[in-house]
Amino acid sequence: MNSSRPYLVRALYEWIVDNDCTPHLLVDAEYRGVQIPAGFANDGQIVLNVAPSAVRNLQMGNEAISFEGRFGGVSHSLHIPAGAVMAIYARENGQGMVFEIEPTFPDDSPADGSGPMDGEGGQRPAGRPSLKVVK
């Protein structure tokens, strides 16, 4: 099953913009595949203003978010894998959603969840799933 993260990020982005607020992404700057300008991350994280007025060519796909943004007056192309998005929220009131950290996979491991823990005889998580209420 596909990750729900990119779908939720797109929906919350639209909701934040529709309510005349400024969408911000909290990104794990050390996640494999993240391309951001050097020197702007703090403690392995970066907050990005992704408001329509702040970025150009915003593409929010199922695999990654990409856009052009200005840092210190210089234009940069950014690429954020969906798993690197830690949160999306409105700057004005903090409303949004925080996501659990997704593991990165080595180049030789499948990222689709198949593998030794998922095949025949593999172990599955026990117990009931928990859902979180979003207000």
Side-chain angles (χ1 to χ4, degrees):
M1 182 174 266
N2 293 336
S3 171
S4 61
R5 183 179 312 225
Y7 299 91
L8 294 169
V9 169
R10 286 191 298 266
L12 287 165
Y13 176 87
E14 186 175 327
W15 174 72
I16 292 167
V17 171
D18 284 353
N19 282 283
D20 296 323
C21 290
T22 310
H24 278 67
L25 295 177
L26 175 62
V27 174
D28 178 353
E30 297 173 351
Y31 192 93
R32 190 179 74 195
V34 169
Q35 296 173 0
I36 58 172
F40 287 93
N42 195 8
D43 292 328
Q45 301 176 352
I46 188 169
V47 175
L48 301 169
N49 175 353
V50 289
S53 61
V55 300
R56 291 182 44 190
N57 302 322
L58 178 65
Q59 300 291 317
M60 299 179 94
N62 288 344
E63 300 300 319
I65 298 170
S66 60
F67 58 91
E68 295 174 22
R70 297 183 73 76
F71 290 80
V74 178
S75 182
H76 292 273
S77 293
L78 286 81
H79 179 84
I80 312 298
V85 177
M86 300 169 67
I88 181 169
Y89 61 94
R91 178 184 64 196
E92 291 78 3
N93 57 23
Q95 290 189 1
M97 182 177 285
V98 176
F99 300 99
E100 291 183 14
I101 296 174
E102 285 187 3
T104 57
F105 296 93
D107 291 334
D108 58 349
S109 296
D112 63 2
S114 65
M117 299 299 282
D118 229 15
E120 283 186 29
Q123 298 173 350
R124 296 277 184 188
R128 295 174 49 183
S130 62
L131 299 177
K132 297 178 184 170
V133 177
V134 178
K135 294 181 181 183

